[in-house]
């Protein structure tokens, strides 16, 4: 392989300034007469890669394009292989495969801020997980229980998909990594590589990293095995833990108050398979409160991040927020759709004598009934200039608008469901600006990894599956709640479960 002395491993517990530490390394390396193209900064998630390139460009007063190799691992492989979007497997191809095999494949793959390139379709999920972990397809299948058609159907789909991609010369995300590893001729000539979020890398991603390290003089690998919560998605934390090199621990948190650190320490001590590391809290005491219902929490006038172990537990919280008229976002999406907000704002403008763009008209017309709000056959708005402006009179005389100018937005936009109208009106009555980012964010713990907030609500409910996992493989569940308990800067509210299924380690 490579010389162990050139590899430095950086363990970054929660809030210890890992990104800043890594950017300081970039700065030190650039001062050695290196160019930005001599340095690769690769991360597991797009969010981390984007933050690194944005901060680096600002810090060094350079264009983001100068940092050619600051990107996710998949993006780096895509770039080095010289691929275009035409070379990538698309939903239309999955539809074609579905028709050929008489099976309904749902080609929805996650490659969002969580960084998970795992298919949501059960067949595709098993096939991809087998490839990224290096575990045989049958062995991977045997861990999943029942799927329609069983092993024979899965094997048929896997073979057909493989041949389909080969014949069409198409790649999926995993193909890019596998192909990259087979092509030393395209590996970039870099002096330094910095790897962030290393605890989340899969086996095939580690192979990419090892190949990149073989080309460079110095390597920095950063992560935190205590926060390795994507094992279900193929993450190989053991490779990070055992990877050769000298180690350093960032031992001072700039986020976690003392009382939160106490809670987190109770959890982390339960993790058996971990690298021992000590870190200190920031100087503030912070606040930890235990309650028996999240409904007792004073959500108003503060920034909140509400975390649950699974989506169905989160659904109960969302139902409460809708009923009580709280403005919130779920996984980054506002409780009022952007298109609906755009439609409301556009109607308010034209009813007050102002003009709006074509996109605003389209948004309004989508929430207006044909024959009531808009004349029939006028809603398609085809062959119009995107730069054209429209006022009330123009829409009425030329584009079929029927609603009176004096109508309120909820009278004009009559297709908005009644419950949503009442919800939006309630928010407006309370003086909440729905065009601003909500102060309340709700998410699963997995969805919020890397996020933080002044005040965090951590629901301790466990699903039946999570409870079984806590018994059979407790390390994974401990890590999940460790991540959840370390997101807050000021207040941490622990919410007891109403059932017997509960994560008790934080309150024992």
């Amino acid at each position: 392989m490579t010389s162990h002395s050139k590899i430095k491993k950086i363990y970054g517990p929660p809030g210890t300034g890992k990104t800043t530490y890594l950017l300081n390394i970039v700065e030190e390396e650039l001062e050695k007469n290196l160019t930005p193209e001599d340095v690769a900064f690769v991360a597991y998630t797009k969010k981390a890669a984007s933050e690194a390139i944005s901060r680096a460009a600002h810090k060094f007063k350079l264009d983001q394009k100068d940092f050619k190799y600051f990107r996710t691992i998949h993006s780096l492989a895509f770039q080095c292989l010289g691929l275009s979007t035409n070379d990538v497997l698309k939903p239309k191809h999955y539809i074609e495969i579905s028709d050929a095999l008489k099976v309904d494949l749902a080609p929805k793959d996650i490659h969002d801020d969580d960084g998970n390139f795992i298919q949501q379709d059960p067949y595709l999920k098993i096939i991809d997980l087998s490839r990224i972990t290096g575990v045989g397809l049958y062995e991977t299948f045997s861990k999943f229980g029942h799927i329609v058609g069983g092993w024979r159907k899965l094997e048929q789909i896997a073979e057909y998909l493989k041949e389909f991609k080969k014949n069409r010369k198409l790649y999926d995300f995993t193909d890019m990594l596998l192909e990259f590893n087979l092509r030393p001729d395209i590996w970039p000539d870099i002096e330094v590589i910095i790897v962030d979020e290393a605890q989340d890398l899969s086996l095939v991603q580690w192979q990419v990293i090892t190949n990149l390290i073989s080309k460079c003089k110095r390597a920095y690998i950063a992560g935190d095995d205590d926060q390795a919560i994507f094992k279900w998605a193929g993450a190989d934390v053991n490779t990070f833990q055992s990877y050769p090199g000298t180690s350093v621990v960032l031992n001072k948190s700039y986020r976690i108050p003392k009382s939160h650190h106490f809670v987190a320490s109770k959890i982390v001590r339960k993790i058996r398979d971990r690298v021992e590391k000590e870190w200190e809290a920031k100087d503030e005491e912070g606040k930890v409160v235990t309650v028996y219902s999240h409904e007792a929490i004073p959500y108003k006038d503060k920034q909140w991040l509400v975390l649950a172990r699974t989506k169905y537990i989160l659904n109960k919280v969302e139902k409460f927020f809708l009923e009580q008229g709280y403005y919130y976002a779920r996984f980054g999406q506002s409780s009022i759709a952007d298109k609906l907000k755009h439609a409301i704002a556009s109607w308010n403008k034209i009813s007050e004598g102002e003009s709006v763009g074509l996109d605003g008209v389209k948004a309004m017309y989508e929430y207006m009934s044909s024959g009531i709000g808009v004349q029939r056959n006028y809603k398609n708005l085809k062959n119009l200039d995107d730069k054209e402006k429209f006022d009330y009179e123009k829409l009425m005389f030329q584009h079929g608008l029927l609603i009176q100018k004096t109508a309120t937005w909820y009278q004009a936009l009559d297709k908005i469901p009644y419950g949503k109208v009442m919800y939006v009106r309630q928010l407006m009555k309370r003086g909440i600006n729905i065009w601003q980012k909500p102060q309340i964010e709700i998410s699963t713990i997995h969805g919020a990894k890397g996020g933080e907030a002044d005040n965090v609500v951590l629901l301790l409910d466990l699903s039946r599956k999570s409870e079984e996992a806590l018994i059979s493989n407790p390390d994974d569940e401990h890590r999940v709640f460790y991540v959840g308990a370390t997101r807050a800067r000021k207040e941490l509210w622990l919410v007891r479960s109403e059932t017997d299924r509960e994560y008790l380690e934080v309150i024992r």
Side-chain angles (χ1 to χ4, degrees), residues 197-441:
E197 306 172 310
Q199 76 280 348
D200 295 326
L201 304 185
S202 66
L203 176 65
V204 69
Q205 289 172 321
W206 274 114
Q207 291 167 349
V208 172
I209 296 305
T210 298
N211 289 330
L212 291 170
I213 289 175
S214 72
K215 298 281 286 185
C216 67
K217 293 178 180 177
R218 290 174 298 282
Y220 305 88
I221 303 175
D224 182 10
D225 57 311
D226 294 331
Q227 298 184 69
I229 62 173
F230 292 115
K231 191 174 179 181
W232 58 271
D236 180 11
V237 66
N238 301 111
T239 296
F240 174 55
Q241 292 170 324
S242 61
Y243 211 80
T246 58
S247 297
V248 61
V249 176
L250 307 182
N251 58 12
K252 176 70 174 178
S253 181
Y254 302 98
R255 180 205 306 155
I256 312 300
K258 293 177 183 177
S259 55
H260 303 195
H261 183 275
F262 179 75
V263 172
S265 297
K266 286 199 291 187
I267 300 172
V268 85
R269 282 197 295 268
K270 302 283 185 180
I271 302 173
R272 292 171 296 191
D273 181 17
R274 66 183 293 263
V275 174
E276 201 64 41
K277 62 190 81 69
E278 298 293 331
W279 57 281
E280 298 178 2
K282 65 180 183 180
D283 294 335
E284 287 91 340
E285 185 61 32
K287 180 179 177 181
V288 177
V289 184
T290 301
V291 293
Y292 285 84
S293 171
H294 78 90
E295 297 179 13
I297 293 169
Y299 289 110
K300 293 181 181 178
D301 304 320
K302 283 184 179 180
Q303 179 201 31
W304 291 94
L305 175 59
V306 183
L307 300 176
R309 177 63 184 85
T310 54
K311 288 181 181 177
Y312 97 84
I313 295 168
L314 210 58
N315 292 342
K316 299 176 185 177
V317 179
E318 185 167 21
K319 184 173 183 287
F320 170 76
F321 283 161
L322 286 170
E323 290 171 348
Q324 297 299 314
Y326 285 106
Y327 184 41
Y328 66 94
R330 176 170 176 156
F331 297 115
Q333 298 296 312
S334 166
S335 53
I336 307 171
D338 290 342
K339 186 179 288 186
L340 175 54
K341 287 191 278 190
H342 194 25
I344 294 171
S346 298
W347 175 261
N348 288 342
K349 279 185 177 181
I350 68 162
S351 67
E352 291 168 6
E354 298 180 42
S355 299
V356 297
L358 180 60
D359 59 338
V361 179
K362 286 181 175 179
M364 285 191 304
Y365 278 21
E366 187 166 327
Y367 292 100
M368 291 179 173
S369 297
S370 293
I372 298 175
V374 185
Q375 292 180 41
R376 299 187 186 280
N377 302 320
Y378 274 88
K379 290 186 71 171
N380 56 30
L381 298 167
K382 290 182 178 177
N383 304 317
L384 295 177
D385 187 349
D386 287 342
K387 297 179 182 178
E388 191 174 352
K389 294 293 183 181
F390 303 83
D391 60 15
Y392 178 83
E393 285 70 24
K394 189 173 185 177
L395 289 173
M396 184 176 68
F397 290 116
Q398 298 179 30
H399 300 289
L401 183 64
L402 296 173
I403 296 293
Q404 291 297 313
K405 194 175 184 178
T406 53
T408 62
W409 64 265
Y410 49 87
Q411 292 169 332
L413 309 175
D414 66 297
K415 290 182 72 176
I416 304 173
Y418 177 75
K420 183 64 73 172
V421 168
M422 298 309 295
Y423 173 68
V424 175
R425 290 184 68 186
Q426 186 179 6
L427 293 179
M428 290 179 168
K429 190 174 182 181
R430 287 171 45 206
I432 293 171
N433 186 345
I434 65 170
W435 288 276
Q436 288 184 345
K437 183 180 178 181
Q439 284 194 293
I440 302 172
E441 169 84 26

Side-chain angles (χ1 to χ4, degrees), residues 462 466-474 477-478 502-503 505:
L462 291 172
S466 297
E467 185 182 49
E468 291 170 357
L470 184 61
I471 296 168
S472 63
N473 193 6
E477 291 303 309
H478 293 321
E502 182 174 26
Y503 186 78
E505 274 66 12

Side-chain angles (χ1 to χ4, degrees), residues 89 93 96-97 101 127 131 155-172 175:
L89 206 63
H93 298 124
E96 192 176 335
I97 295 167
L101 295 176
I127 292 167
R131 296 164 72 219
E155 188 179 33
Q156 179 193 21
I157 293 169
E159 287 299 320
Y160 190 91
L161 180 61
K162 183 178 178 181
E163 285 301 309
F164 183 91
K165 290 186 292 183
K166 181 180 177 182
N167 294 335
R168 301 290 185 92
K169 295 183 171 60
L170 293 171
Y171 293 77
D172 60 24
D175 291 324

Side-chain angles (χ1 to χ4, degrees), residues 75-95:
S75 174
L76 181 69
F78 178 89
Q79 178 193 48
C80 292
L81 286 165
L83 299 177
S84 73
T85 54
N86 292 330
D87 300 312
V88 180
L89 206 63
K90 295 181 175 64
K92 65 178 182 180
H93 298 124
Y94 287 105
I95 293 171

